[in-house]
Amino acid sequence: MARNKEKLVLLLDVGPSMHSVLPEVEKVCSMLVEKKLIFRKNDEVGVVVFGTEETNNDLTKEVGGYDHIVVLEDIKVVDGDLIDTLQKLPRGTVDGDFLDAIVVGMDMLIKKYKDIHKGKKRLCLITNAVHPIKDSLEGTKEDQVETIAAQMTAQGMKMESVVVRGRLSQDANKRIMDENDRLLSIFSKQTLTRTVYVDSPTSLLGALKTRRITPVTVFRGDLELSPDMKIKVWVYKRTQEEKFPTLKKYSEKAPQTNKFATHQVKVDYEYKTVDGASKVVPPEQRIKGYRYGPQVVPISAAEWDAVKFKPEKGVKLLGFTDASNIMRHYYMKDVYLFIAEPGNTRAILSVSAIARAMKEMNKVAILRCVWRQGQQNVVLGVLTPNISQNDKLPDSFYFNVLPFIEDVREYQFPSFNSFPVSWQPNEQQQKAADELVQMLNLAPSGKEEALLPDYTPNPVLERFYRHLELKSKQPDAAVPPLDGTLKRITEPDPELFFENKSVIDALRKHFELKENPKLKKSARRLLREKPSGSNDEDGDADVSDAQAVNSIEKALVVKIEKIGDLTPVQDFEVILSRRDSPEWVGKAIKEMRDKILGLLSDSHEGDNHLIAVECIAALRKGCILESQNHTTIFCAILTCIASRKE
Amino acid sequence: MDLDPEDVFKDEEDGSDNEFFQQSASSKEYVVYLVDASPKMFNTTCPCKDQKDETHFDLAVSCIAESLKTQIISRSYDEVAICFFNTREKKNLQDLNGVFVFNVAEREHLDRPTARLIKEFDCLQESFMREIGSQYGIVPGSRENSLYNALWVAQALLRKGSIKTADKRILLFTNEDDPFGGLQGAAKADMKRTSLQRAKDAQDLGISIELLPLSCPDEEFNVKVFYADLLGLDGEDLVQFMPSAGQKLEDTKDQLRKCMFTRRIIRRITFDITNGLSIQLNTYALIRPAVPGAITWLDSVTNLPLKIERSLICEDTGALIQEPPKRFQPYRNENVKFSMDEISEMKGISTGCLRLLGFKPLSCLKDYHNLRPSTFVYPSDQEVVGSTCIFIALYRSMLQLKRFAVAFYGSSSHPQLVALVAQDEIAKAGVQIEPPGMHMIYLPYSDDIRDVEEIFPDTDDDAPRADEDQIQKAAALIKRIDMRDFSVSQFANPALQRHYAVLQALALEEDDIPETIDETLPDEEGLARPAVVKAIEEFKLSVYGDNYDEERDFLGKGKVGESSRKRKTIVENAVKESANYDWADLAENGQLKDLTVAALKTYLSAHNLPVTGKKEALISRILTRMGK
């Protein structure tokens, strides 16, 4: 692995216009380092921030200029301190110059590694690029960028730029943004730079690949169009699920004092006979039994080898067919990418020609694949064209596995048209549904597509790594709740739903849902289930849910709006804890004051005094809990009571 | 939040996909195939392409045979019984006339299908007339009612097991829409009444009776005459039971096969459209990879299954760990511990429901946005009345506006973003090909998508692009190798077919294993057609020029040359090195074990033998080579 050590410099814009997204920048960068600490311990990372008040970098000392750029961490092997640094990024005071920062970052990489480690050196820029870069002394800004880009290619550096835009930078100067975009696009064209534009904190978390996996080929060899026509291809995985990390089992048996205890657990399997003796059977006496219905057929490995299905390695074309013949839901697995053998111009041209022809004719190809020699099954799948949008990248194909007969269950479902009229939507209902589908648009034109899979982080993994970091500092830390940014993945965007409140209300008006009265009580669960949106901590997601679902709960809990005579203290607390309107606190305190004064004035030989004292105590507690200015109210009330007493 | 603790645990232990892919044994199905064997079933035939007409009886039997074979592969826990009525011979526990229960040795009447059952059932058509015979059971003047008897026998067979744990079904194959048509007056009314009563009794016991009607070419099977009453159908449901006459045999077969399946719900889920508007959906697994059944370890002496005991042992102390251990992740030079509760809490980021987030145009769903087989969703009014109506409204809007819904599916083991793609119903010749509903496609997260930039190697130049002529030639080629009628899942999985063919042969202790055909191989004949060859040659010429073969040879040689040269030098060195030892002498005196592994390897590579394995393996390989 040491060969693949990545050298990365993070260039982070911390200028004033970035402040709103810095928490997300901190999260995504520390996640990046956390994953490196676990999966790629030998990678090296440096951190540069720009837009700061101070200046601290080598170039400014050597040649001057390069102001407001601070090297927070020199390039070094990843460690825990780096995370601490990244979690507390300084808030800058000036508008930064991203090009200067790029140069500083390149300078660090060049000084440290000279021109070795080509292709392993990476710069990662996070900025909103809304502020102009300085004019260059010689030539235009474009020339300057081109020189830098050329140098970057020469040094074998890659860059990744995440540009935070849209909602997150509304009042920026359009002209400057366009200029900066043009400059950044030069990088994309001339170097291996991935430029990503994000417009929400959620996609910022997903835009940066926090774990880099060295791609490996699944297959290298011929794509056989016919026995006489073969194209050299390499096959990679395009998607592969990143699983929840497999955690090791922890043994607490070792004594606390043992410093060298590994705490590991060994899992041991024993194969025993089922009869009373429970004798352990040695491996050589075991034989595999294969099920055939109720029967179990014993077959030894050698026998099985002799008779099993042994296809030849190779990828063969069965034919082309209309794209409409292959429905999207037949895709069975994660996706493969077929590329022509790198460096083989003819193969690249063949792939390009076929891919483009397929695209034009709306065709797909059916392939039969045996990736490895000795593989025991064949894979049948569909090859679809992937026309490259980037001049640097050749055209390629996507491949996905299709089902065999045995994999499909051909269930029959009643046609919707055969349903009784009461189940069919009427015209108004259909209109309400049309409106909803139209208005709740996640990919409006002119805006970034929301929840694009490519930029959407996995909330479970995010949560795991954050919890891991928390726990390393504080072993009994509780699982952190999903923060607002991650909630945008699991829950509807309140803003979007609020904007379309009328559409949603119309939908709710037109459709009526009822629990099925025929069902037994125990079987009912659907409507009663509390929607997860009504968690206490997220009030704003519930703009629209107050009426319908909560009505059940409302009916159950009798809402207390006045402090009664029987249980004044409890009533007070209930009203105080109501959160549906800020008025309740004031109301509770006022009512409580009146109640106390009432108790005191109605007191007959002090029989109410005990209750009044309890009430005062409760009021005091409540006031302290609520806020500072309520305590002053309490004092006022107390003086008032005191004066009354006299 | 209803998190199933076992679910989470399972996920940790056996990899998360298990629950997703496997069918549990708890949802068993008991089926009685009730086949009419009256002479009418033998006399009517289905029109067939190659003039080889099949009788209705053959059709029914072959469908059952096929279904038994699929059942072995995908649903081997289900139990079946096969029962004929209107037969000459009788064989049933109740000793009723005209009913014959087909069975084989070592098997109960209602039991899981065995290799022998499949084998003998395959040969049944030849021996049927001789051994079972066909005869009308309901004739004027006799008090026998073979239909009544058959239902009685079937019901008795299904007495096994509770309806809570199993679905019980009777599948009735017949082409006679009016079984009591030959009778008159009171006898007819009486028989009709008793038969209906018998069917109703069975249905009251939780047994569903399904009819698979076969239409005669000249007259359509009329469900209304008798069977609608027997099945308890009315009005709207009747529509589904209208097979059209004169269909092609293939289509009839197809339809029969599809009707024999029951739909199995994997899960009932709630779909939150907005807060306060939650409808009920059922999810179905229409597409899941079929895999060879699990392996059972046996004792090779007794052939009895072994039980596997798992024990957890502490590596530090060697002590046995009883309670489920905590988990840890080494991090920052420390072991960070997690309890199982914490892990399940981390994963439980949402209640198990599906929450609508919004809609996107279908073009936003890219080809690479896929991870797992999709799940089919279909509405249900069972718990929430009105679900179907909302679902249909949304479904129609989505189809019309060409949009899909993005939702978050918060299952406990795999919370994921999903795309809900509406699928219009597609039917061909009365057979439903694509059911109406939505397909839930599991979307990847950014962490699951590999960067293409990483995959493509660094280049300074722009990537070459095909020119117009090359694209034209490719288009011509595509036109030539077109599979017009391709439909997904027209091929059988050769590996699976082979697997079960071998097992069947071994289970029946047959000597020769039948050859299985690999349907997935390309059509070489088709590819050798002159027009195809010409298109290929033209494409080749336009991309590779004249030197396709040369270039390939050159490329191939270059590679082989390099690696073979490397190998050659290794061998040469090894020969030199190994000459330092007197191998025969060392072997003779058993001194080989005193040499280093590196020294042993020189001999092996000098003699072109594999150099892998432990030292003992190397020594024994050397000795074998020397013939000792």
Side-chain angles (χ1 to χ4, degrees):
Chain A
M1 280 311 275
R3 238 173 357 123
N4 282 328
K5 271 195 290 186
E6 183 185 72
K7 291 94 179 62
L8 170 72
V9 177
L10 294 167
L11 309 169
L12 311 174
D13 189 346
V14 295
S17 57
M18 284 289 285
H19 284 189
S20 62
V21 291
L22 278 184
E24 271 68 42
V25 174
E26 287 171 348
K27 275 176 201 152
V28 70
C29 292
S30 33
M31 173 98 149
L32 177 102
V33 178
E34 274 175 52
K35 285 195 183 174
K36 282 189 185 297
L37 275 175
I38 295 171
F39 301 108
R40 308 189 62 141
K41 286 189 192 126
N42 300 317
D43 281 3
E44 295 172 31
V45 174
V47 183
V48 175
V49 290
F50 58 104
T52 49
E53 183 71 54
E54 314 80 48
T55 304
N56 177 18
N57 60 69
D58 281 358
L59 281 178
T60 190
K61 288 172 207 150
E62 289 160 13
V63 296
Y66 299 99
D67 296 331
H68 307 298
I69 299 175
V70 173
V71 179
L72 273 191
E73 294 277 350
D74 278 319
I75 302 174
K76 60 173 183 185
V77 175
V78 284
D79 59 14
D81 299 343
L82 201 55
I83 297 179
D84 299 338
T85 311
L86 285 169
Q87 282 181 338
K88 291 190 293 285
L89 288 177
R91 301 297 190 261
T93 51
V94 288
D95 297 333
D97 180 334
F98 64 86
L99 199 63
D100 274 0
I102 293 176
V103 176
V104 169
M106 284 173 67
D107 174 62
M108 288 165 73
L109 284 170
I110 294 171
K111 281 197 180 122
K112 179 131 189 180
Y113 304 110
K114 310 289 180 298
D115 54 354
I116 51 171
H117 300 302
K118 281 216 166 114
K120 300 280 173 280
K121 286 176 285 188
R122 223 153 55 84
L123 291 166
C124 178
L125 172 73
I126 303 181
T127 178
N128 52 7
V130 290
H131 302 296
I133 60 165
K134 283 188 286 293
D135 284 315
S136 93
L137 296 173
E138 54 224 67
T140 59
K141 287 179 182 175
E142 278 81 2
D143 293 340
Q144 199 184 353
V145 170
E146 274 179 32
T147 329
I148 295 171
Q151 177 71 1
M152 215 183 260
T153 321
Q155 295 285 337
M157 285 183 206
K158 294 180 181 179
M159 189 165 84
E160 191 165 0
S161 18
V162 178
V163 184
V164 187
R165 280 287 166 77
R167 260 185 287 174
L168 302 173
S169 58
Q170 274 139 353
D171 39 307
N173 186 328
K174 182 96 177 51
R175 194 186 52 78
I176 299 170
M177 283 205 299
D178 287 346
E179 184 192 60
N180 283 337
D181 289 351
R182 208 171 54 246
L183 294 175
L184 283 169
S185 72
I186 297 178
F187 279 114
S188 315
K189 277 199 198 98
Q190 308 227 330
T191 65
L192 279 166
T193 294
R194 193 169 86 116
T195 308
V196 174
Y197 286 86
V198 296
D199 75 343
S200 72
T202 314
S203 37
L204 175 58
L205 285 183
L208 193 65
K209 283 271 154 33
T210 45
R211 185 176 169 196
R212 217 147 266 281
I213 294 163
T214 324
V216 276
T217 47
V218 179
F219 171 86
R220 292 183 191 198
D222 292 327
L223 166 63
E224 257 190 73
L225 297 188
S226 82
D228 316 317
M229 171 75 200
K230 294 167 184 172
I231 304 170
K232 290 264 180 223
V233 291
W234 289 11
V235 182
Y236 288 97
K237 274 285 178 76
R238 177 71 161 102
T239 59
Q240 184 155 42
E241 191 175 341
E242 183 171 340
K243 295 254 168 70
F244 193 85
T246 329
L247 304 178
K248 292 183 181 136
K249 295 186 178 65
Y250 186 82
S251 157
E252 283 162 329
K253 298 276 182 199
Q256 292 275 315
T257 48
N258 184 352
K259 287 271 183 315
F260 301 102
T262 58
H263 295 290
Q264 304 239 359
V265 174
K266 192 170 161 248
V267 185
D268 200 46
Y269 292 96
E270 277 184 340
Y271 297 78
K272 291 182 174 170
T273 51
V274 246
D275 54 6
S278 272
K279 224 172 63 211
V280 176
V281 178
E284 58 276 11
Q285 204 190 314
R286 292 200 301 257
I287 188 165
K288 276 182 185 167
Y290 295 85
R291 287 191 174 280
Y292 189 84
Q295 284 150 291
V296 179
V297 185
I299 307 175
S300 71
E303 256 183 294
W304 192 243
D305 270 344
V307 293
K308 73 179 179 205
F309 181 65
K310 286 175 286 245
E312 276 288 304
K313 175 185 172 179
V315 172
K316 292 184 164 73
L317 172 81
L318 295 189
F320 296 90
T321 188
D322 286 332
S324 58
N325 277 347
I326 313 291
M327 273 158 217
R328 185 63 176 69
H329 59 259
Y330 283 115
Y331 287 14
M332 293 258 285
K333 276 187 75 176
D334 34 21
V335 185
Y336 297 89
L337 182 74
F338 273 59
I339 65 166
E341 186 180 55
N344 184 339
T345 317
R346 299 292 161 195
I348 296 173
L349 281 178
S350 313
V351 168
S352 169
I354 295 174
R356 279 164 192 261
M358 273 161 73
K359 185 91 190 170
E360 263 171 38
M361 300 164 74
N362 210 8
K363 294 272 181 186
V364 295
I366 308 296
L367 298 190
R368 169 198 197 265
C369 307
V370 180
W371 307 120
R372 301 178 311 272
Q373 193 63 49
Q375 183 178 319
Q376 290 183 27
N377 61 347
V378 297
V379 174
L380 201 75
V382 57
L383 198 68
T384 52
N386 172 32
I387 307 299
S388 170
Q389 304 300 329
N390 183 333
D391 289 339
K392 285 261 169 205
L393 304 180
D395 295 330
S396 53
F397 296 112
Y398 289 128
F399 175 82
N400 210 306
V401 178
L402 291 179
F404 288 110
I405 298 177
E406 294 90 341
D407 306 336
V408 179
R409 287 164 221 173
E410 294 170 302
Y411 297 157
Q412 304 272 293
F413 288 86
S415 166
F416 285 151
N417 298 325
S418 70
F419 281 148
V421 182
S422 63
W423 286 15
Q424 306 271 359
N426 61 30
E427 211 170 299
Q428 278 136 10
Q429 288 175 325
Q430 190 60 55
K431 222 179 122 219
D434 285 351
E435 287 268 288
L436 183 82
V437 174
Q438 209 140 38
M439 296 312 289
L440 284 188
N441 193 354
L442 292 177
S445 53
K447 266 190 174 171
E448 293 285 320
E449 180 185 337
L451 293 173
L452 184 71
D454 305 54
Y455 304 146
T456 308
N458 183 340
V460 176
L461 292 180
E462 289 283 330
R463 205 179 187 190
F464 170 74
Y465 289 108
R466 283 181 202 174
H467 192 202
L468 181 68
E469 170 66 22
L470 274 181
K471 272 205 155 194
S472 74
K473 291 192 176 125
Q474 195 191 336
D476 54 349
V479 180
L482 281 189
D483 61 16
T485 329
L486 294 178
K487 276 234 169 85
R488 289 294 75 78
I489 304 165
T490 65
E491 284 170 18
D493 183 358
E495 226 174 277
L496 181 70
F497 273 62
F498 188 71
E499 276 168 26
N500 297 300
K501 197 167 180 304
S502 59
V503 178
I504 291 165
D505 287 345
L507 187 80
R508 200 179 284 133
K509 205 177 82 209
H510 283 298
F511 291 98
E512 197 191 355
L513 291 178
K514 280 200 300 279
E515 269 183 42
N516 189 347
K518 282 180 218 150
L519 267 184
K520 286 196 198 90
K521 266 231 162 98
S522 60
R524 288 185 199 171
R525 54 180 183 93
L526 278 162
L527 280 188
R528 208 140 286 194
E529 219 167 36
K530 218 174 141 203
S532 64
S534 56
N535 293 347
D536 332 12
E537 75 259 23
D538 101 300
D540 59 347
D542 296 345
V543 208
S544 49
D545 80 331
Q547 308 100 349
V549 163
N550 281 356
S551 61
I552 301 167
E553 284 153 54
K554 262 185 207 157
L556 295 177
V557 182
V558 184
K559 292 269 162 154
I560 297 165
E561 299 187 353
K562 272 186 98 64
I563 295 177
D565 290 326
L566 283 173
T567 53
V569 175
Q570 282 86 336
D571 290 1
F572 171 71
E573 277 166 1
V574 167
I575 298 177
L576 209 58
S577 59
R578 277 185 75 162
R579 281 286 172 269
D580 42 353
S581 157
E583 282 147 38
W584 287 114
V585 176
K587 192 170 178 208
I589 291 171
K590 189 174 163 291
E591 284 222 30
M592 197 59 174
R593 189 193 66 183
D594 294 344
K595 176 96 323 187
I596 295 166
L597 292 177
L599 280 170
L600 289 176
S601 54
D602 292 344
S603 166
H604 180 68
E605 297 195 0
D607 54 353
N608 279 344
H609 285 179
L610 210 61
I611 308 171
V613 169
E614 271 176 27
C615 288
I616 294 173
L619 180 63
R620 178 171 171 270
K621 212 170 100 197
C623 285
I624 293 170
L625 273 177
E626 273 322 301
S627 75
Q628 208 57 41
N629 65 347
H630 287 125
T631 29
T632 53
I633 296 173
F634 176 70
C635 290
I637 294 170
L638 217 56
T639 30
C640 172
I641 295 168
S643 67
R644 281 284 190 92
K645 261 222 117 154
E646 282 159 24
Chain B
M1 180 142 71
D2 58 346
L3 252 179
D4 181 2
E6 212 184 313
D7 216 56
V8 178
F9 187 67
K10 204 154 111 199
D11 179 14
E12 276 302 301
E13 290 293 56
D14 334 307
S16 48
D17 293 341
N18 259 1
E19 169 227 24
F20 183 71
F21 287 115
Q22 258 159 33
Q23 182 219 131
S24 63
S26 63
S27 60
K28 262 199 261 188
E29 194 177 86
Y30 294 142
V31 184
V32 175
Y33 294 113
L34 210 53
V35 185
D36 188 354
S38 70
K40 190 178 176 186
M41 286 288 280
F42 287 91
N43 296 338
T44 23
T45 53
C46 269
C48 186
K49 266 187 209 151
D50 43 2
Q51 306 303 317
K52 237 180 68 191
D53 292 0
E54 259 185 74
T55 66
H56 279 161
F57 182 79
D58 292 340
L59 186 68
V61 167
S62 67
C63 279
I64 294 171
E66 211 171 289
S67 127
L68 286 178
K69 279 175 199 159
T70 20
Q71 196 182 328
I72 280 269
I73 296 178
S74 56
R75 301 168 290 138
S76 76
Y77 286 102
D78 294 352
E79 303 189 3
V80 293
I82 301 162
C83 177
F84 298 101
F85 65 103
N86 288 331
T87 53
R88 191 183 65 227
E89 305 296 322
K90 64 177 175 182
K91 189 179 142 203
N92 56 70
L93 287 175
Q94 290 74 18
D95 206 32
L96 295 167
N97 280 330
V99 182
F100 192 98
V101 179
F102 176 81
N103 203 3
V104 294
E106 295 168 38
R107 189 177 174 277
E108 285 179 44
H109 289 304
L110 181 75
D111 205 346
R112 295 159 66 180
T114 61
R116 188 177 302 275
L117 180 78
I118 290 175
K119 184 88 184 167
E120 290 189 16
F121 192 74
D122 267 345
C123 321
L124 178 78
Q125 271 145 301
E126 293 153 29
S127 59
F128 187 82
M129 278 305 166
R130 193 173 62 244
E131 279 162 24
I132 303 173
S134 161
Q135 184 183 312
Y136 282 113
I138 302 168
V139 282
S142 141
R143 294 199 57 84
E144 281 301 332
N145 180 347
S146 53
L147 182 64
Y148 175 88
N149 291 351
L151 288 172
W152 190 355
V153 170
Q155 186 194 323
L157 286 168
L158 288 170
R159 202 171 286 155
K160 186 171 167 182
S162 142
I163 50 158
K164 279 185 191 138
T165 55
D167 277 344
K168 297 183 177 182
R169 303 161 70 206
I170 297 173
L171 292 185
L172 184 67
F173 293 82
T174 183
N175 61 356
E176 179 57 79
D177 52 8
D178 188 11
F180 306 109
L183 303 184
Q184 296 292 327
K188 177 175 178 176
D190 188 47
M191 280 203 187
K192 205 167 168 178
R193 191 182 50 77
T194 49
S195 302
L196 290 179
Q197 187 55 43
R198 176 101 334 249
K200 194 172 172 300
D201 288 350
Q203 281 160 334
D204 287 346
L205 287 171
I207 298 170
S208 66
I209 303 178
E210 283 157 51
L211 176 71
L212 297 162
L214 300 156
S215 284
C216 303
D218 41 351
E219 61 175 316
E220 200 153 288
F221 192 98
N222 190 350
V223 189
K224 285 189 190 127
V225 175
F226 169 72
Y227 280 104
D229 291 337
L230 184 101
L231 303 174
L233 296 177
D234 47 47
E236 321 241 347
D237 294 342
L238 265 179
V239 187
Q240 288 174 50
F241 281 88
M242 278 307 185
S244 51
Q247 263 175 355
K248 293 255 171 53
L249 172 73
E250 283 75 23
D251 292 341
T252 320
K253 228 177 189 172
D254 226 28
Q255 195 178 11
L256 275 187
R257 202 187 63 225
K258 289 189 178 183
C259 291
M260 281 159 73
F261 285 120
T262 40
R263 306 189 293 263
R264 272 189 205 175
I265 299 171
I266 8 177
R267 193 158 283 170
R268 291 195 171 85
I269 55 171
T270 323
F271 182 31
D272 264 11
I273 293 167
T274 69
N275 281 324
L277 206 57
S278 309
I279 63 171
Q280 191 200 348
L281 300 178
N282 288 341
T283 64
Y284 301 87
L286 297 191
I287 300 163
R288 289 293 179 271
V291 286
I295 294 165
T296 321
W297 281 101
L298 305 175
D299 183 339
S300 62
V301 180
T302 58
N303 272 352
L304 284 173
L306 298 172
K307 64 170 182 241
I308 302 173
E309 275 179 14
R310 198 182 74 138
S311 46
L312 303 175
I313 297 163
C314 170
E315 283 199 356
D316 300 315
T317 58
L320 216 63
I321 299 170
Q322 302 293 347
E323 69 282 3
K326 281 190 169 188
R327 305 303 167 108
F328 75 100
Q329 168 74 50
Y331 178 70
R332 284 196 179 196
N333 305 323
E334 263 181 82
N335 291 331
V336 180
K337 282 169 272 179
F338 294 94
S339 67
M340 290 314 279
D341 289 344
E342 280 172 322
I343 292 172
S344 62
E345 194 188 333
M346 254 187 277
K347 290 187 178 180
I349 49 178
S350 165
T351 49
C353 64
L354 188 67
R355 298 197 83 180
L356 178 73
L357 302 180
F359 298 90
K360 288 184 188 179
L362 279 174
S363 60
C364 287
L365 184 64
K366 301 278 186 259
D367 278 341
Y368 64 90
H369 291 161
N370 207 68
L371 282 178
R372 298 191 281 156
S374 61
T375 299
F376 183 70
V377 295
Y378 194 82
S380 155
D381 269 22
Q382 201 189 351
E383 287 181 39
V384 184
V385 177
S387 295
T388 312
C389 184
I390 300 188
F391 186 87
I392 296 177
L394 286 177
Y395 157 88
R396 289 191 179 142
S397 311
M398 282 158 70
L399 274 180
Q400 196 218 328
L401 296 165
K402 296 198 170 42
R403 283 176 193 226
F404 68 93
V406 179
F408 187 79
Y409 182 37
S411 78
S412 58
S413 59
H414 246 97
Q416 220 164 357
L417 275 178
V418 295
L420 291 170
V421 182
Q423 173 63 53
D424 206 359
E425 183 179 15
I426 301 178
K428 221 188 261 171
V431 183
Q432 190 177 58
I433 295 171
E434 288 296 332
M438 294 190 200
H439 291 278
M440 190 154 91
I441 291 165
Y442 299 89
L443 297 175
Y445 289 118
S446 67
D447 321 67
D448 308 328
I449 299 174
R450 301 279 169 85
D451 265 352
V452 264
E453 284 86 355
E454 282 291 296
I455 291 175
F456 289 105
D458 315 356
T459 43
D460 298 338
D461 311 317
D462 284 356
R465 293 274 187 266
D467 59 31
E468 215 27 64
D469 174 60
Q470 288 164 337
I471 297 175
Q472 285 300 320
K473 291 288 188 312
L477 174 80
I478 291 171
K479 253 184 223 134
R480 284 289 164 205
I481 322 180
D482 193 31
M483 305 163 86
R484 202 159 304 127
D485 304 323
F486 181 83
S487 74
V488 167
S489 74
Q490 68 181 31
F491 296 115
N493 183 346
L496 215 56
Q497 293 296 332
R498 178 79 188 157
H499 180 93
Y500 284 101
V502 169
L503 287 185
Q504 190 182 356
L506 290 172
L508 294 171
E509 291 167 359
E510 282 169 0
D511 288 335
D512 50 332
I513 291 156
E515 279 303 309
T516 45
I517 308 152
D518 185 353
E519 300 164 335
T520 62
L521 284 169
D523 169 23
E524 301 220 339
E525 252 172 65
L527 288 175
R529 281 200 315 266
V532 177
V533 172
K534 188 165 161 261
I536 289 174
E537 285 306 322
E538 275 176 9
F539 175 62
K540 223 190 299 187
L541 194 70
S542 83
V543 177
Y544 288 84
D546 291 328
N547 48 5
Y548 172 78
D549 295 312
E550 285 165 39
E551 195 164 335
R552 285 190 64 83
D553 285 350
F554 172 71
L555 278 173
K557 258 185 203 143
K559 245 189 187 160
V560 171
E562 199 176 302
S563 55
S564 75
R565 213 178 309 129
K566 221 174 179 179
R567 212 177 303 137
K568 226 174 180 178
T569 44
I570 291 174
V571 172
E572 274 167 16
N573 283 339
V575 169
K576 238 184 266 164
E577 293 280 322
S578 73
N580 296 337
Y581 302 97
D582 182 354
W583 293 97
D585 186 49
L586 286 168
E588 200 69 46
N589 300 324
Q591 283 170 340
L592 281 178
K593 63 179 191 305
D594 300 336
L595 294 183
T596 62
V597 169
L600 292 173
K601 279 187 180 170
T602 57
Y603 179 89
L604 290 170
S605 30
H607 290 85
N608 230 346
L609 291 170
V611 291
T612 52
K614 288 190 175 170
K615 192 171 183 179
E616 292 86 69
L618 302 184
I619 293 176
S620 73
R621 210 173 290 144
I622 295 176
L623 292 176
T624 339
R625 157 82 201 194
M626 294 172 131
K628 288 188 174 139

